[in-house]
Amino acid sequence: MTDWECRGRNPLPGFGVSPKTSFSLFSPPQAANLRRIALYWHNGRSLGHTVRCATLGQALLDHLPDSIVVGITGASKGLELLPPGMDLVKIPSYLTYDETGGVRTTPVISLTQEEFQRIRENLIATFVRDFQPRVMLVDFHPEGKNAELIPAIISSPDTKKVLGLRGILGSPAETNRDFFNSRIIAFIQGYFSAIHVYIDERVFRLEDYYSVPASLSAMFKYTGYVTRSTVASKAEARTILRLDSDARIIVVSFGGGQGTEPIGQSILRSLAKIQDRFNFACLSAGPYLEVDAYERLRTQVSQYPNWTWTRLLDPLPAWIKASDFFICSGGYNSLAEIITTGANALIIPRQLNELEQELHATRLANLNILRIAQLETVLSEDLTPLFEICLAEPYPYEHNIKIATDGAQRSASLIGAIIA
């Protein structure tokens, strides 16, 4: 065990120009023939939308090598996870806080909400007008966050639009109100060519759970889960990460990490009580965890020589594959990567105002994929007995079905067909 710090993709290297060097700011002639694809995703509260779109971007570059792929987002963290061949249009960011009184959204820069909205909307519309993508893949919000995509969508009739949905969106009441109301349905049917649903329909079908009209469900293409590639075996993962082959390793990751300090404190207390049951623990804070909370947790972790504390584990699928026990929240990407790695996993759905994580994790638990601990239990009870069971009796015992996890490749193939 020589290196616990897992580093993300390096920034694009800088370059210098010598007096004898010349270069052109104009595109090479073949650039006009490249197929242009734009991916939009809103900020969210964590890394989920960014990781999914980064994975889709890599699949598009692999499947359509003669393409230009550009992301459009206000996400401020996790952008180092984007593939090197994918560029980015960064619009001003907001931060979202999931609090007991509701979800609170605040711009990072000091602008009024009206100014902030107008700037984001205009930047997106200007880029789409000038870039002229053949296809625009829109993640989650068909109109964009707070309808910021509407001008760009309406004014680009030659661009094919594809809506990407993660599968389980929320409770029936909130989802029917926000996604499948008559106005949104008419907008999707008027401007979108297809809807890619990033889930295996044997796990969940939107039309069975929500009030989806047949005219809209006819646009659905179930792709399977969007997952990052990983190695085939635990031994291979440990070799790549330079981890001891015989060690018992626990990995903890809560995605973006915003607001997770109480969960982290509870996990640390319980791990300390069973530290003789494992050799190493690697804990990832998440890039959105507040600075003061990060330092408090870092101080606690530093008391244990075989525990490490870092902002981001990359590549996370390899760390999951290398672990003997993986603890995480119930975000889409965590669940997808548990499926593809076959990890012995404990899920803590941590949303305070939405039910998506709990609904999704429960579906997978019923298929013998993972275990669940309720947030209230995690915050109020000693987790030691639960952790001991998870280590002593790895789960799942067996899978009821083989779940499709090639959603990125399938989506890229479908988009290639639209372009063709």
Side-chain angles (χ1 to χ4, degrees):
M1 197 77 171
T2 59
D3 185 4
W4 277 93
E5 188 69 21
C6 191
R7 296 170 176 82
R9 177 174 64 86
N10 291 329
L12 292 176
F15 62 90
V17 181
S18 71
K20 296 181 179 180
T21 303
S22 64
F23 63 94
S24 172
L25 296 178
F26 298 99
S27 300
Q30 65 270 24
N33 299 320
L34 296 177
R35 294 176 284 194
R36 301 180 180 192
I37 303 170
L39 280 76
Y40 164 90
W41 67 98
H42 72 296
N43 297 32
R45 288 191 297 277
S46 195
L47 292 176
H49 299 284
T50 297
V51 171
R52 182 163 60 248
C53 288
T55 307
L56 289 164
Q58 183 65 70
L60 287 166
L61 290 168
D62 292 341
H63 186 75
L64 302 168
D66 56 341
S67 63
I68 302 173
V69 180
V70 181
I72 307 169
T73 187
S76 58
K77 307 291 184 182
L79 300 179
E80 67 271 27
L81 299 175
L82 297 179
M86 178 178 173
D87 210 341
L88 181 74
V89 173
K90 170 69 174 61
I91 58 178
S93 301
Y94 58 82
L95 296 177
T96 305
Y97 302 91
D98 190 18
E99 301 171 335
T100 53
V103 176
R104 176 171 59 89
T105 300
T106 305
V108 171
I109 53 180
S110 298
L111 295 172
T112 66
Q113 289 286 351
E114 292 76 14
E115 290 176 303
F116 183 74
Q117 175 74 13
R118 184 173 65 252
I119 290 171
R120 284 173 58 112
E121 190 174 288
N122 289 341
L123 284 171
I124 296 169
T126 298
F127 174 74
V128 171
R129 181 197 67 203
D130 292 343
F131 184 57
Q132 298 181 12
R134 295 279 293 279
V135 173
M136 176 185 285
L137 180 56
V138 177
D139 185 75
F140 193 68
H141 284 297
E143 297 181 321
K145 183 69 172 179
N146 296 324
E148 65 188 3
L149 271 186
I150 290 179
I153 288 177
I154 291 176
S155 61
S156 57
D158 295 332
T159 297
K160 298 291 187 181
K161 284 84 177 182
V162 175
L163 177 62
L165 298 177
R166 67 191 175 206
I168 297 178
L169 303 175
S171 69
E174 67 178 347
T175 302
N176 291 334
R177 180 191 67 228
D178 297 336
F179 278 88
F180 299 125
N181 62 65
S182 58
R183 183 181 62 80
I184 295 294
I185 289 171
F187 183 79
I188 295 172
Q189 292 177 331
Y191 293 101
F192 284 80
S193 300
I195 301 173
H196 293 181
V197 186
Y198 306 128
I199 200 169
D200 189 318
E201 60 184 318
R202 292 169 296 178
V203 175
F204 186 85
R205 284 170 46 87
L206 274 75
E207 53 268 57
D208 294 341
Y209 198 65
Y210 305 121
S211 299
V212 183
S215 58
L216 197 65
S217 63
M219 300 172 66
F220 289 170
K221 304 289 186 182
Y222 285 90
T223 65
Y225 284 87
V226 171
T227 60
R228 292 176 279 185
S229 60
T230 189
V231 295
S233 68
K234 179 184 291 186
E236 188 178 354
R238 292 191 175 192
T239 298
I240 292 172
L241 298 173
R242 292 184 284 174
L243 306 176
D244 292 346
S245 59
D246 297 325
R248 300 195 81 191
I249 299 172
I250 295 177
V251 175
V252 182
S253 175
F254 279 89
Q258 183 267 323
T260 58
E261 183 183 11
I263 301 174
Q265 296 282 5
S266 179
I267 290 173
L268 290 179
R269 287 193 297 269
S270 296
L271 289 180
K273 294 178 182 179
I274 59 168
Q275 55 184 304
D276 60 332
R277 306 293 178 89
F278 60 94
N279 301 108
F280 303 102
C282 188
L283 302 99
S284 174
Y288 286 100
L289 179 65
E290 298 79 3
V291 174
D292 53 347
Y294 178 90
E295 286 301 315
R296 285 191 291 269
L297 291 168
R298 184 192 62 78
T299 299
Q300 289 183 250
V301 172
S302 66
Q303 300 174 28
Y304 303 92
N306 291 331
W307 299 13
T308 63
W309 181 242
T310 186
R311 271 289 181 186
L312 184 67
L313 287 173
D314 181 36
L316 182 59
W319 285 90
I320 299 173
K321 191 73 176 180
S323 71
D324 294 287
F325 178 30
F326 178 54
I327 305 171
C328 67
S329 58
Y332 171 93
N333 291 296
S334 295
L335 298 178
E337 288 171 344
I338 287 168
I339 294 170
T340 197
T341 58
N344 172 29
L346 177 67
I347 305 302
I348 304 171
R350 66 180 184 90
Q351 292 172 320
L352 299 178
N353 295 281
E354 298 165 355
L355 293 175
E356 178 256 331
Q357 290 191 7
E358 183 175 348
L359 292 169
H360 198 167
T362 299
R363 290 274 177 149
L364 295 176
N366 291 338
L367 293 171
N368 297 333
I369 303 297
L370 47 80
R371 290 181 168 105
I372 300 177
Q374 296 301 320
L375 180 60
E376 182 179 353
T377 300
V378 171
L379 298 179
S380 63
E381 298 182 16
D382 181 7
L383 301 177
T384 304
L386 177 58
F387 287 0
E388 289 179 320
I389 291 173
C390 291
L391 284 167
E393 302 174 11
Y395 199 78
Y397 308 117
E398 61 181 14
H399 290 171
N400 290 340
I401 60 173
K402 175 66 174 177
I403 298 175
T405 57
D406 60 344
Q409 294 75 24
R410 175 64 176 154
S411 180
S413 176
L414 290 168
I415 289 173
I418 290 175
I419 291 176

